[in-house]
Amino acid sequence: MQFCPTIASLHTFRGQIPNGKKIGFIPTMGALHEGHGSLIAQSAAQNDITIVSVFVNPTQFGPNEDLAHYPRTLEADIALAERMGADAVFAPTAAEMYPTGRKAAITYHIEGLGDLLCGFSRPGHFHGVVQVVSMLLHIVTPHRAYFGLKDYQQFRILATLILEQHFPVEIVGCNIVREQDGLAMSSRNRYLRSEERPQALFLYDTLTYIKQHLPQFQTVANVKDFVDQQCAKYPLVKLDYFDILNDRTLQVAENLDATSHPRAFMAAFLGKTRLIDNMSLYSHSSV
Ligand code: AMP
């Protein structure tokens, strides 16, 4: 396994890959867990070469967010990436990625898709994500790029970026990996205090209940009332948002019929830790 701490070293590694070999790429912010591991394993199974990037991208954090405290565990990340089948880990510095300063002068505007859900709660977040993923795709030039459906809105925005900007890459969405009790794996779960951890199940348990009892709700408004009632049972949870959107368009779902492709989206704070989750309400799978 090759460790590439600079763009030049990544280019050297990339240049040695024979033509015709398929390259899979997994962009991450590190603090890798089994959720990231499943993306790496999927890429390793579907491609000849798998490259993982570890880069805590400053431009996707708001001024009051956890950039300074975001977990950095590079040695363990390299070991996990190797174990899951990666051939290289690319971990550039922010100074190299943003040669003209902390924020690049050229930014993307995301029409519509970037203003709702996490985009509303975290203004500018998706602009930073789109900026860094486009930079990484230019540097790595993979054939396939793997993203988790845990960040479903991010996945749709990046699929749109790749389509509209004609990046010659296939985007692959990967199922949400959960802890045994259902909590979606996240690098931020390690921040949860012991008394908060059981209440973090609010997200998964609420989404699962809604999915399993969908016919009894009848309307989106009834589901929202139920979520508000649930909040009262979890005193350590502060709901950031809950919404049901058509997961093809990310427009508000008109109703709960399968034809509206309803997917429930949720973000909640437990203390300072912000967790997100989502679940399709019409497909049979639990993702
Ligand atoms: P991050 O390091 O949080 O930026 O995540 C890197 C990639 O891993 C993103 O595409 C995430 O959606 C994906 N990911 C993170 N957690 C999970 C999970 N529990 N299940 C599936 N994919 C995940």
Side-chain angles (χ1 to χ4, degrees), residues 227-246:
V227 173
D228 287 340
Q229 288 159 22
Q230 282 298 100
C231 283
K233 296 185 194 156
Y234 294 81
L236 299 182
V237 169
K238 191 168 152 285
L239 187 66
D240 182 22
Y241 65 70
F242 174 82
D243 222 332
I244 298 181
L245 306 182
N246 179 319

PDB file of all heavy atoms in Angstrom, residues 227-246:
ATOM      1  N   VAL A 227     -43.095  12.740  14.753  1.00  0.00           N
ATOM      2  CA  VAL A 227     -41.678  13.013  15.063  1.00  0.00           C
ATOM      3  C   VAL A 227     -41.590  14.017  16.212  1.00  0.00           C
ATOM      4  O   VAL A 227     -40.778  13.848  17.133  1.00  0.00           O
ATOM      5  CB  VAL A 227     -40.931  13.516  13.809  1.00  0.00           C
ATOM      6  CG1 VAL A 227     -39.508  13.962  14.156  1.00  0.00           C
ATOM      7  CG2 VAL A 227     -40.895  12.421  12.746  1.00  0.00           C
ATOM      8  N   ASP A 228     -42.439  15.039  16.187  1.00  0.00           N
ATOM      9  CA  ASP A 228     -42.433  16.019  17.294  1.00  0.00           C
ATOM     10  C   ASP A 228     -42.760  15.336  18.624  1.00  0.00           C
ATOM     11  O   ASP A 228     -42.138  15.617  19.642  1.00  0.00           O
ATOM     12  CB  ASP A 228     -43.450  17.138  17.024  1.00  0.00           C
ATOM     13  CG  ASP A 228     -42.953  18.070  15.926  1.00  0.00           C
ATOM     14  OD1 ASP A 228     -41.728  18.077  15.685  1.00  0.00           O
ATOM     15  OD2 ASP A 228     -43.791  18.761  15.308  1.00  0.00           O
ATOM     16  N   GLN A 229     -43.735  14.418  18.590  1.00  0.00           N
ATOM     17  CA  GLN A 229     -44.080  13.692  19.834  1.00  0.00           C
ATOM     18  C   GLN A 229     -42.906  12.832  20.310  1.00  0.00           C
ATOM     19  O   GLN A 229     -42.621  12.748  21.503  1.00  0.00           O
ATOM     20  CB  GLN A 229     -45.291  12.783  19.607  1.00  0.00           C
ATOM     21  CG  GLN A 229     -46.611  13.528  19.446  1.00  0.00           C
ATOM     22  CD  GLN A 229     -47.645  12.658  18.733  1.00  0.00           C
ATOM     23  OE1 GLN A 229     -47.534  11.425  18.734  1.00  0.00           O
ATOM     24  NE2 GLN A 229     -48.623  13.286  18.103  1.00  0.00           N
ATOM     25  N   GLN A 230     -42.232  12.202  19.346  1.00  0.00           N
ATOM     26  CA  GLN A 230     -41.086  11.357  19.704  1.00  0.00           C
ATOM     27  C   GLN A 230     -39.999  12.171  20.407  1.00  0.00           C
ATOM     28  O   GLN A 230     -39.379  11.697  21.353  1.00  0.00           O
ATOM     29  CB  GLN A 230     -40.475  10.716  18.444  1.00  0.00           C
ATOM     30  CG  GLN A 230     -41.231   9.546  17.908  1.00  0.00           C
ATOM     31  CD  GLN A 230     -41.270   8.407  18.912  1.00  0.00           C
ATOM     32  OE1 GLN A 230     -42.264   8.225  19.603  1.00  0.00           O
ATOM     33  NE2 GLN A 230     -40.192   7.668  19.000  1.00  0.00           N
ATOM     34  N   CYS A 231     -39.777  13.394  19.909  1.00  0.00           N
ATOM     35  CA  CYS A 231     -38.724  14.257  20.483  1.00  0.00           C
ATOM     36  C   CYS A 231     -38.922  14.411  21.983  1.00  0.00           C
ATOM     37  O   CYS A 231     -37.948  14.435  22.740  1.00  0.00           O
ATOM     38  CB  CYS A 231     -38.763  15.642  19.853  1.00  0.00           C
ATOM     39  SG  CYS A 231     -38.062  15.681  18.235  1.00  0.00           S
ATOM     40  N   ALA A 232     -40.185  14.505  22.396  1.00  0.00           N
ATOM     41  CA  ALA A 232     -40.478  14.727  23.813  1.00  0.00           C
ATOM     42  C   ALA A 232     -39.984  13.560  24.667  1.00  0.00           C
ATOM     43  O   ALA A 232     -39.690  13.717  25.847  1.00  0.00           O
ATOM     44  CB  ALA A 232     -41.975  14.923  24.003  1.00  0.00           C
ATOM     45  N   LYS A 233     -39.859  12.373  24.031  1.00  0.00           N
ATOM     46  CA  LYS A 233     -39.420  11.188  24.789  1.00  0.00           C
ATOM     47  C   LYS A 233     -37.895  11.086  24.885  1.00  0.00           C
ATOM     48  O   LYS A 233     -37.365  10.187  25.532  1.00  0.00           O
ATOM     49  CB  LYS A 233     -39.952   9.916  24.110  1.00  0.00           C
ATOM     50  CG  LYS A 233     -41.461   9.821  24.099  1.00  0.00           C
ATOM     51  CD  LYS A 233     -41.867   8.473  23.528  1.00  0.00           C
ATOM     52  CE  LYS A 233     -43.337   8.473  23.183  1.00  0.00           C
ATOM     53  NZ  LYS A 233     -43.652   7.471  22.160  1.00  0.00           N
ATOM     54  N   TYR A 234     -37.190  11.928  24.173  1.00  0.00           N
ATOM     55  CA  TYR A 234     -35.719  11.896  24.163  1.00  0.00           C
ATOM     56  C   TYR A 234     -35.202  13.268  24.586  1.00  0.00           C
ATOM     57  O   TYR A 234     -34.862  14.097  23.735  1.00  0.00           O
ATOM     58  CB  TYR A 234     -35.194  11.558  22.758  1.00  0.00           C
ATOM     59  CG  TYR A 234     -35.525  10.171  22.260  1.00  0.00           C
ATOM     60  CD1 TYR A 234     -36.773   9.879  21.708  1.00  0.00           C
ATOM     61  CD2 TYR A 234     -34.567   9.160  22.300  1.00  0.00           C
ATOM     62  CE1 TYR A 234     -37.064   8.614  21.228  1.00  0.00           C
ATOM     63  CE2 TYR A 234     -34.848   7.892  21.817  1.00  0.00           C
ATOM     64  CZ  TYR A 234     -36.099   7.623  21.287  1.00  0.00           C
ATOM     65  OH  TYR A 234     -36.386   6.377  20.798  1.00  0.00           O
ATOM     66  N   PRO A 235     -35.133  13.522  25.886  1.00  0.00           N
ATOM     67  CA  PRO A 235     -34.817  14.879  26.356  1.00  0.00           C
ATOM     68  C   PRO A 235     -33.447  15.396  25.941  1.00  0.00           C
ATOM     69  O   PRO A 235     -33.244  16.613  25.891  1.00  0.00           O
ATOM     70  CB  PRO A 235     -34.911  14.757  27.884  1.00  0.00           C
ATOM     71  CG  PRO A 235     -34.953  13.305  28.189  1.00  0.00           C
ATOM     72  CD  PRO A 235     -35.449  12.598  26.985  1.00  0.00           C
ATOM     73  N   LEU A 236     -32.504  14.512  25.616  1.00  0.00           N
ATOM     74  CA  LEU A 236     -31.172  14.997  25.234  1.00  0.00           C
ATOM     75  C   LEU A 236     -31.073  15.317  23.733  1.00  0.00           C
ATOM     76  O   LEU A 236     -30.051  15.793  23.256  1.00  0.00           O
ATOM     77  CB  LEU A 236     -30.098  13.961  25.598  1.00  0.00           C
ATOM     78  CG  LEU A 236     -29.987  13.618  27.092  1.00  0.00           C
ATOM     79  CD1 LEU A 236     -28.856  12.613  27.339  1.00  0.00           C
ATOM     80  CD2 LEU A 236     -29.757  14.889  27.917  1.00  0.00           C
ATOM     81  N   VAL A 237     -32.164  15.043  23.007  1.00  0.00           N
ATOM     82  CA  VAL A 237     -32.151  15.252  21.552  1.00  0.00           C
ATOM     83  C   VAL A 237     -32.751  16.613  21.203  1.00  0.00           C
ATOM     84  O   VAL A 237     -33.819  16.967  21.679  1.00  0.00           O
ATOM     85  CB  VAL A 237     -32.973  14.142  20.848  1.00  0.00           C
ATOM     86  CG1 VAL A 237     -33.206  14.490  19.378  1.00  0.00           C
ATOM     87  CG2 VAL A 237     -32.270  12.796  20.970  1.00  0.00           C
ATOM     88  N   LYS A 238     -32.024  17.351  20.364  1.00  0.00           N
ATOM     89  CA  LYS A 238     -32.597  18.596  19.814  1.00  0.00           C
ATOM     90  C   LYS A 238     -32.698  18.396  18.304  1.00  0.00           C
ATOM     91  O   LYS A 238     -31.674  18.279  17.614  1.00  0.00           O
ATOM     92  CB  LYS A 238     -31.688  19.775  20.151  1.00  0.00           C
ATOM     93  CG  LYS A 238     -32.330  21.105  19.863  1.00  0.00           C
ATOM     94  CD  LYS A 238     -31.511  22.237  20.482  1.00  0.00           C
ATOM     95  CE  LYS A 238     -31.690  23.514  19.704  1.00  0.00           C
ATOM     96  NZ  LYS A 238     -30.984  23.579  18.425  1.00  0.00           N
ATOM     97  N   LEU A 239     -33.931  18.304  17.826  1.00  0.00           N
ATOM     98  CA  LEU A 239     -34.133  18.043  16.394  1.00  0.00           C
ATOM     99  C   LEU A 239     -33.660  19.242  15.588  1.00  0.00           C
ATOM    100  O   LEU A 239     -34.017  20.380  15.893  1.00  0.00           O
ATOM    101  CB  LEU A 239     -35.624  17.778  16.141  1.00  0.00           C
ATOM    102  CG  LEU A 239     -35.977  17.314  14.733  1.00  0.00           C
ATOM    103  CD1 LEU A 239     -35.386  15.933  14.438  1.00  0.00           C
ATOM    104  CD2 LEU A 239     -37.502  17.284  14.543  1.00  0.00           C
ATOM    105  N   ASP A 240     -32.841  18.988  14.577  1.00  0.00           N
ATOM    106  CA  ASP A 240     -32.410  20.070  13.689  1.00  0.00           C
ATOM    107  C   ASP A 240     -33.400  20.172  12.527  1.00  0.00           C
ATOM    108  O   ASP A 240     -33.921  21.233  12.237  1.00  0.00           O
ATOM    109  CB  ASP A 240     -30.973  19.791  13.210  1.00  0.00           C
ATOM    110  CG  ASP A 240     -30.440  20.897  12.322  1.00  0.00           C
ATOM    111  OD1 ASP A 240     -30.956  22.028  12.392  1.00  0.00           O
ATOM    112  OD2 ASP A 240     -29.504  20.643  11.546  1.00  0.00           O
ATOM    113  N   TYR A 241     -33.635  19.045  11.843  1.00  0.00           N
ATOM    114  CA  TYR A 241     -34.694  19.051  10.830  1.00  0.00           C
ATOM    115  C   TYR A 241     -35.240  17.642  10.657  1.00  0.00           C
ATOM    116  O   TYR A 241     -34.561  16.648  10.950  1.00  0.00           O
ATOM    117  CB  TYR A 241     -34.216  19.600   9.480  1.00  0.00           C
ATOM    118  CG  TYR A 241     -33.148  18.780   8.775  1.00  0.00           C
ATOM    119  CD1 TYR A 241     -33.417  17.525   8.223  1.00  0.00           C
ATOM    120  CD2 TYR A 241     -31.851  19.275   8.649  1.00  0.00           C
ATOM    121  CE1 TYR A 241     -32.443  16.788   7.580  1.00  0.00           C
ATOM    122  CE2 TYR A 241     -30.865  18.533   8.010  1.00  0.00           C
ATOM    123  CZ  TYR A 241     -31.178  17.292   7.479  1.00  0.00           C
ATOM    124  OH  TYR A 241     -30.210  16.552   6.843  1.00  0.00           O
ATOM    125  N   PHE A 242     -36.469  17.579  10.197  1.00  0.00           N
ATOM    126  CA  PHE A 242     -37.050  16.325   9.716  1.00  0.00           C
ATOM    127  C   PHE A 242     -37.855  16.683   8.484  1.00  0.00           C
ATOM    128  O   PHE A 242     -38.639  17.643   8.490  1.00  0.00           O
ATOM    129  CB  PHE A 242     -37.969  15.671  10.758  1.00  0.00           C
ATOM    130  CG  PHE A 242     -38.678  14.467  10.191  1.00  0.00           C
ATOM    131  CD1 PHE A 242     -38.045  13.236  10.139  1.00  0.00           C
ATOM    132  CD2 PHE A 242     -39.945  14.587   9.641  1.00  0.00           C
ATOM    133  CE1 PHE A 242     -38.664  12.133   9.567  1.00  0.00           C
ATOM    134  CE2 PHE A 242     -40.580  13.487   9.060  1.00  0.00           C
ATOM    135  CZ  PHE A 242     -39.933  12.257   9.032  1.00  0.00           C
ATOM    136  N   ASP A 243     -37.679  15.932   7.414  1.00  0.00           N
ATOM    137  CA  ASP A 243     -38.500  16.196   6.236  1.00  0.00           C
ATOM    138  C   ASP A 243     -38.641  14.929   5.410  1.00  0.00           C
ATOM    139  O   ASP A 243     -37.834  13.997   5.551  1.00  0.00           O
ATOM    140  CB  ASP A 243     -37.884  17.306   5.385  1.00  0.00           C
ATOM    141  CG  ASP A 243     -38.966  18.262   4.889  1.00  0.00           C
ATOM    142  OD1 ASP A 243     -40.128  17.826   4.730  1.00  0.00           O
ATOM    143  OD2 ASP A 243     -38.652  19.446   4.685  1.00  0.00           O
ATOM    144  N   ILE A 244     -39.673  14.901   4.608  1.00  0.00           N
ATOM    145  CA  ILE A 244     -39.850  13.784   3.679  1.00  0.00           C
ATOM    146  C   ILE A 244     -39.811  14.368   2.274  1.00  0.00           C
ATOM    147  O   ILE A 244     -40.631  15.223   1.925  1.00  0.00           O
ATOM    148  CB  ILE A 244     -41.184  13.054   3.942  1.00  0.00           C
ATOM    149  CG1 ILE A 244     -41.182  12.470   5.359  1.00  0.00           C
ATOM    150  CG2 ILE A 244     -41.393  11.952   2.905  1.00  0.00           C
ATOM    151  CD1 ILE A 244     -42.435  11.716   5.729  1.00  0.00           C
ATOM    152  N   LEU A 245     -38.820  13.930   1.513  1.00  0.00           N
ATOM    153  CA  LEU A 245     -38.632  14.455   0.164  1.00  0.00           C
ATOM    154  C   LEU A 245     -38.696  13.323  -0.845  1.00  0.00           C
ATOM    155  O   LEU A 245     -38.452  12.158  -0.510  1.00  0.00           O
ATOM    156  CB  LEU A 245     -37.265  15.145   0.041  1.00  0.00           C
ATOM    157  CG  LEU A 245     -36.931  16.250   1.045  1.00  0.00           C
ATOM    158  CD1 LEU A 245     -35.557  16.837   0.728  1.00  0.00           C
ATOM    159  CD2 LEU A 245     -37.976  17.348   1.048  1.00  0.00           C
ATOM    160  N   ASN A 246     -39.024  13.694  -2.075  1.00  0.00           N
ATOM    161  CA  ASN A 246     -38.914  12.770  -3.196  1.00  0.00           C
ATOM    162  C   ASN A 246     -37.422  12.548  -3.438  1.00  0.00           C
ATOM    163  O   ASN A 246     -36.684  13.505  -3.698  1.00  0.00           O
ATOM    164  CB  ASN A 246     -39.584  13.406  -4.418  1.00  0.00           C
ATOM    165  CG  ASN A 246     -39.496  12.534  -5.649  1.00  0.00           C
ATOM    166  OD1 ASN A 246     -38.467  11.923  -5.928  1.00  0.00           O
ATOM    167  ND2 ASN A 246     -40.577  12.489  -6.397  1.00  0.00           N
TER     168      ASN A 246
END
